[in-house]
Each structure stands twice: as C-alpha cells, then as structure tokens.
Amino acid sequence: MSNGPTIYVNGKFLLAEDAAISPLDRGFALGDGLFETIRVENGRPFRLGAHLQRLRSGLTTIEMALPHEDGEFKAAIQELLSRNRLTRASVRITVGRGVPEARGLLPGRILSGPTIVIQAMPYSGYPAEKYETGFSAIVATIRRNETSPSAYVKSCNYLDNILVRMAAAAAEADEGIMMNMAGNLACGSVSNIFVVKEGRLRTPPITAGILAGIARATVIEIAMRERIGCLEEDLTTDDLWAADEAFLTNSLMGAMPLTRVDSKSIGNGQPGVLTGQVGRAFEDLVKREAGSVQ
Amino acid sequence: MSNGPTIYVNGKFLLAEDAAISPLDRGFALGDGLFETIRVENGRPFRLGAHLQRLRSGLTTIEMALPHEDGEFKAAIQELLSRNRLTRASVRITVGRGVPEARGLLPGRILSGPTIVIQAMPYSGYPAEKYETGFSAIVATIRRNETSPSAYVKSCNYLDNILVRMAAAAAEADEGIMMNMAGNLACGSVSNIFVVKEGRLRTPPITAGILAGIARATVIEIAMRERIGCLEEDLTTDDLWAADEAFLTNSLMGAMPLTRVDSKSIGNGQPGVLTGQVGRAFEDLVKREAGSVQ
C-alpha cells in the first residue's frame, strides 16, 4: 500500500501516482489555465476567499467558465488536508480549460469542462534564520510584459518566471526581479516587491504589469492599519538602490527582507526595522485568522 | 469498440480517450514545455528534421534534456499516421518537463523524465477560395516580449497568442499581428509576416522576438531560389500600410495573402502577384518533398 500524497482531480481524491488528466487538455497543450497557491496554518487556508476571487477574476479575463461554487473548493481542500494529515500546508489549485473539440488557439467547444486539480503539500518555508540574514536577488534581463492581460492573472504560462528563477539560482541569488517594458520595477518570479523610504512603504502599482498578490494586499492593509502608509507608484532600480529597506512578499513566505540585489547592498545590508515589523504583523495575521492564537 | 483517434504518449499508442498524463507534470502546472506542429502530405512530414532541430534548440534554451533520437519521433509519427489511416495530416509533438520531485519554479530533479505526446490529426487547411479572396488581421494590443528567451522558442505558454487570436475573432479577423516592445512588427498569433515592396520580400528578423518559423525559412529559401530576394529587417505598421502586398506564413497554411489589416486595405486589397508565386512554390515544394509529384 502506497503512502504517497492524495490529490484532487475533477471531484475525485486519488493517490498522486494514479491521478491522470488528458494530454489533450489545453492546460498542458497551450498553458491555457490559471492557478492559485494558498498557505494553510492550523488547518485553515489563509484568505482563501481572496484567492478564489482572484482566480474567478482571472478566468473572466481569459473567458473561461468555472461552474464550481467556492464551497466546493473549501470542502475539497479540507478533505485533502485531512487525507494527507496536514494542518500546515501549501495548497495549489490549478484550473485548465479542458479538452477542446478542435485544434487551434480559439477555445471553441470544450468537450470535458475545465480540469481542476488541487494539491495539498507539506508547507516548506525558508528557515527562520533566512529572515534574519536576508534574501538576495538579481535584476533579471527578462522583462514583464505589461501590455498583456496575462501579466495580471496567475496563469500557467510560467516559463518566463522559471527562466528568471533559474538565472537567479545560477547567480546564487534567491530571486530574480523583473522590470517592465517601461523600465520600471515590476515583480519577482514568485513575489511582489516593496521598498521602504523615509518610513513609508512603496510598491509598484498593478498597472506596472504585476500580479495582484494576496500577500501584497495583506501587507498594504497592515501598513495602513499600523499607520506606516504605502504608496503604490512606479519605481525604478534607482529607487531600489536608494531605499532604506526592501522586501519581497508572497503568500507562502510572507515578507522576505531583501538585503542584496546584484552585488549591491540595500540600505545598510541588513533586514530593516519596518520590514521586520510588517513581517511579524503578517505572520500574526495569518496565525490569528487561522485561529491558532486568540 | 471506439473509433476515436489514437495518440502517442511516452512510447505507448493509446486511444485518445484512454490516454493520460500526470496532473503534476510541469507542462500542465507551469506551461513548462515546448511543441511543434508539422504538416504531413502523402504520408510524409514536411521538414520534420528542421522541426526536430528547432525543438532541440528550444529545449537547450530552457535547459530540458530529451533523451530521444530523431528516429524515434519519425517512427512514432509513421505509426500514428498508419493507425489513424491518415496520409494528409497535421502532427503535433508536445514535450512537457515531467513530474518534479519538489514544488517551486526550479525544475530540480524530475521523477518521470519528459512527457512526450504526439498527435496526428486530419489536416484541415483553409479552403482554396480563402487564398483567392485574402486574409484579414488586426494589430493586437498585446505586444511580443523580445526580452524573453521564451519569445524565440515554441513553448506551451500560449495564453498571449490565445488572447490575440480571440481578439481577432471578436473583430471578425483571421489573425492578430503583434508588435514588439520596440514598436516594430513581430508576428501573428500563429504565423510569421512578410511584406512585399518593389518586388522584394521583407520580414522581421528573429531578433524582433519572433519564433523562427519553418514556413518562414522555407519562404526565404524560395525567395532566394526564385531571385525575388528577401530582406530580414525591422518593420513597422507604416511598412505594412505602404506595402504592395503582404502575407502570413505557417507550416500548416503555407503563404496566406493578407489583404486587410484593421480597416485598411493592404496594397490594392487583393492577393498579390508575388504572394501567389511564393504560395504556389511553397505548395509545390511540400508536395515534391512528400514525393507525390516528381
């Protein structure tokens, strides 16, 4: 009897090794799909509603129907967590457009309905020390294409991000930061970026061609609540070099202090005070909403 | 007993309805794969060697190993054509990176080896009248991102192309033409573009962020052989508006006369003389190499 993980595929819970989708699915053939990655603490997905809302918004952009209620996703995730005996996890929802009647780029009639895959994996964040020593990045040569609606949705077209991440790894950096066509900062391969200047947060606006990160929105909410403030405005690498602090965000990793980009130190080269404040507030919020503290 | 098509998946020939890949394949999850589309006439794939060479070149770009000889692809395609009783077909080869050991963007260790899917479908070109009346296009709002290596490989990240094609269809046009970041003409969602000016062909260079189309290379070869000449140089929409003729190319459809873009006529609004000459030479070449004429 196998002890491998169980995953959800179109309403069924299957051992990952037995799970199957059609090779004709447009998700596989053309990258015609979207996904979400959600953090689970204490058995509860953090801001699942916001993730599902973003998913539905993205599906509208690419004109894909999703005849599933939020409740079905919630129930499937709970069942997956239970079957995989996980209370701390990263959950991924992938939606492919399904098997088309005809070849070609136009979706036309879809024979199968959308293909929905949900995975719950043990959560593997960076070790705590990493948040104390800081993260490094390179400025990537691949730019973000803000002229495309696909820049604003979490699509399965991740080859650019993969290549950026591979270039970062080759440079022994943790992340690659993309500029957009206009030459402004956009985002990392798996993160949004914030800089701190004179006690206030600044982050590229959505119009810079970025994904509206759930962690990004959470950090802005925290900055408002704690009266730090956050400006959404176009930033350049010069703003990064002149920053007092900088950090990256994503749903799984929270606020990651960015202390070195290319070979330059950001601020004093140490994780910043406001970064730490925001990062702790983020973790507190995740744990509070998960009901594990007060 | 089913009469559905047979497809090839990782060495096996299966009814399409029974064929399966893992939902954890990075091809499905992240669009981490490449493909080729090949025209078959008289049971023979046109320029299969060039397609496989481009596939291997693209795999090198994205650092994916493919431990399969060209002969294996050739044999699989012949077997597929035979099993599906096709002599005229479009063949698609898709290569996904396979199932990774760990989540995240870095490929890391791949547990499965690459996922190889080959389909042979009845060839469905446009009707002959379409080449006599001409094709229409829009200039797309989505630009081609020439800063990314993925612009130069035939990757499964086709969401931009899908959205361009959908926008074209909504405007009742046959194709959408993308400009690149620099503001020059790049290519269509499924085609390369040529203009004719003063008896000579002109087409955007590869550096414009385009896929090196096999049909594009074939047309350049024809233009050289027939002493028409072809310049590879950056072109703008102004060059399109001022062109005597224009046409689009791809492996399945050959040279498609482009007679209307947005609401403007190209040249005199009729398929051009050189376009017709090149188009016939292309078809002759396909049929000659397929051995169906001399």
Side-chain angles (χ1 to χ4, degrees):
Chain A
M1 188 177 145
S2 172
N3 292 311
T6 293
I7 69 173
Y8 169 101
V9 181
N10 288 335
K12 296 197 176 113
F13 295 88
L14 302 161
L15 284 175
E17 64 205 57
D18 298 330
I21 61 171
S22 170
L24 306 183
D25 195 289
R26 286 173 58 100
F28 178 72
L30 298 167
D32 194 7
L34 302 184
F35 73 103
E36 289 291 332
T37 303
I38 303 139
R39 180 165 159 193
V40 173
E41 288 286 348
N42 205 28
R44 290 185 58 181
F46 180 64
R47 307 227 159 158
L48 178 59
H51 282 283
L52 291 173
Q53 191 173 37
R54 183 173 70 179
L55 176 64
R56 290 185 191 283
S57 167
L59 290 169
T60 301
T61 298
I62 68 170
E63 300 183 23
M64 194 189 298
L66 183 67
H68 299 71
E69 303 288 333
D70 281 12
E72 293 175 68
F73 287 100
K74 287 177 189 168
I77 289 169
Q78 289 308 325
E79 180 69 24
L80 268 185
L81 292 169
S82 166
R83 290 189 185 226
N84 290 292
R85 297 166 193 270
L86 293 169
T87 55
R88 195 157 194 251
S90 68
V91 165
R92 179 181 162 127
I93 302 172
T94 311
V95 181
R97 202 184 295 260
V99 176
E101 187 172 50
R103 65 168 295 287
L105 296 198
L106 288 175
R109 196 161 83 89
I110 302 297
L111 301 176
S112 61
T115 299
I116 299 180
V117 178
I118 312 178
Q119 301 161 256
M121 294 158 278
Y123 174 77
S124 54
Y126 286 102
E129 305 87 81
K130 189 76 181 152
Y131 292 80
E132 288 158 24
T133 55
F135 292 73
S136 62
I138 58 166
V139 177
T141 56
I142 299 179
R143 298 212 179 192
R144 189 89 175 170
N145 184 355
E146 71 267 30
T147 70
S148 173
S150 67
Y152 306 91
V153 303
K154 202 167 176 73
S155 87
C156 296
N157 286 223
Y158 251 52
L159 196 50
D160 276 356
N161 303 53
I162 292 168
L163 293 170
V164 165
R165 187 69 185 79
M166 283 165 67
E172 298 185 349
D174 298 308
E175 176 62 299
I177 298 167
M178 283 177 273
M179 293 190 294
N180 63 17
M181 286 192 179
N184 295 315
L185 291 178
C187 54
S189 72
V190 293
S191 60
N192 288 113
I193 185 166
F194 288 78
V195 300
V196 180
K197 187 71 181 173
E198 293 167 359
R200 182 176 288 190
L201 307 191
R202 301 168 71 193
T203 194
I206 302 298
T207 52
I210 66 171
L211 185 73
I214 305 299
R216 175 183 178 278
T218 305
V219 163
I220 292 173
E221 177 188 312
I222 288 168
M224 297 306 168
R225 192 190 65 203
E226 306 216 347
R227 295 171 191 269
I228 297 166
C230 181
L231 290 174
E232 294 181 65
E233 59 181 357
D234 282 321
L235 300 172
T236 67
T237 48
D238 282 343
D239 292 306
L240 189 55
W241 310 140
D244 300 325
E245 310 176 16
F247 59 92
L248 305 169
T249 59
N250 73 30
S251 286
L252 294 184
M253 305 301 175
M256 297 166 270
L258 181 63
T259 53
R260 194 161 52 84
V261 177
D262 290 343
S263 48
K264 302 182 184 76
S265 287
I266 304 300
N268 66 4
Q270 301 295 319
V273 173
L274 274 178
T275 299
Q277 180 183 340
V278 167
R280 282 187 302 276
F282 186 96
E283 291 302 311
D284 287 349
L285 192 59
V286 172
K287 293 193 172 61
R288 190 161 62 242
E289 292 195 12
S292 58
V293 295
Q294 163 24 315
Chain B
M1 187 177 144
S2 171
N3 291 312
T6 294
I7 68 173
Y8 169 101
V9 181
N10 289 335
K12 296 196 176 114
F13 295 88
L14 302 162
L15 284 176
E17 64 205 58
D18 298 330
I21 61 170
S22 170
L24 306 183
D25 195 290
R26 285 173 58 99
F28 178 73
L30 298 167
D32 193 8
L34 303 183
F35 73 102
E36 289 291 332
T37 303
I38 303 139
R39 180 164 159 193
V40 173
E41 288 285 349
N42 205 28
R44 290 184 60 180
F46 180 65
R47 306 228 160 157
L48 177 59
H51 281 284
L52 291 173
Q53 191 173 38
R54 182 172 71 180
L55 177 65
R56 290 186 192 284
S57 168
L59 290 168
T60 301
T61 299
I62 69 170
E63 299 183 23
M64 194 189 298
L66 182 68
H68 298 72
E69 303 289 334
D70 281 11
E72 293 175 69
F73 288 100
K74 287 177 190 170
I77 290 169
Q78 289 308 324
E79 181 68 23
L80 268 185
L81 292 170
S82 167
R83 289 188 184 227
N84 290 292
R85 297 167 194 270
L86 292 169
T87 55
R88 194 154 196 254
S90 68
V91 165
R92 181 182 161 126
I93 302 172
T94 312
V95 181
R97 203 186 294 262
V99 177
E101 186 172 51
R103 66 169 295 286
L105 296 198
L106 288 175
R109 195 160 84 88
I110 302 298
L111 301 176
S112 61
T115 300
I116 300 180
V117 178
I118 312 178
Q119 300 161 257
M121 293 158 279
Y123 174 76
S124 55
Y126 286 102
E129 306 87 80
K130 189 79 181 149
Y131 291 81
E132 288 157 24
T133 54
F135 292 72
S136 62
I138 58 165
V139 177
T141 56
I142 298 179
R143 297 213 180 190
R144 189 88 174 170
N145 183 355
E146 70 266 30
T147 70
S148 172
S150 66
Y152 305 91
V153 303
K154 202 167 175 73
S155 87
C156 296
N157 286 223
Y158 251 52
L159 196 50
D160 275 357
N161 303 54
I162 293 168
L163 294 170
V164 165
R165 186 71 185 77
M166 284 164 68
E172 298 184 349
D174 299 307
E175 176 62 299
I177 298 168
M178 283 177 273
M179 292 191 294
N180 63 16
M181 287 192 180
N184 295 315
L185 292 177
C187 53
S189 72
V190 293
S191 60
N192 288 113
I193 185 167
F194 288 78
V195 301
V196 179
K197 187 72 183 173
E198 294 168 358
R200 182 175 291 189
L201 307 191
R202 301 168 72 195
T203 194
I206 302 298
T207 51
I210 65 170
L211 185 73
I214 305 299
R216 175 184 178 276
T218 304
V219 163
I220 293 173
E221 178 189 312
I222 288 168
M224 296 306 168
R225 194 190 64 202
E226 306 216 346
R227 296 172 189 266
I228 298 166
C230 181
L231 290 174
E232 294 182 65
E233 58 182 357
D234 282 320
L235 301 171
T236 66
T237 47
D238 282 343
D239 292 306
L240 191 54
W241 310 141
D244 300 324
E245 311 175 17
F247 59 92
L248 305 169
T249 60
N250 72 30
S251 286
L252 294 184
M253 306 301 175
M256 298 166 269
L258 182 63
T259 53
R260 195 162 50 86
V261 178
D262 290 343
S263 47
K264 301 182 184 75
S265 287
I266 304 301
N268 66 3
Q270 300 296 318
V273 172
L274 274 178
T275 298
Q277 182 183 340
V278 167
R280 283 188 301 275
F282 186 95
E283 290 303 310
D284 287 347
L285 192 60
V286 172
K287 293 194 172 63
R288 192 161 60 242
E289 292 195 13
S292 58
V293 295
Q294 169 26 312

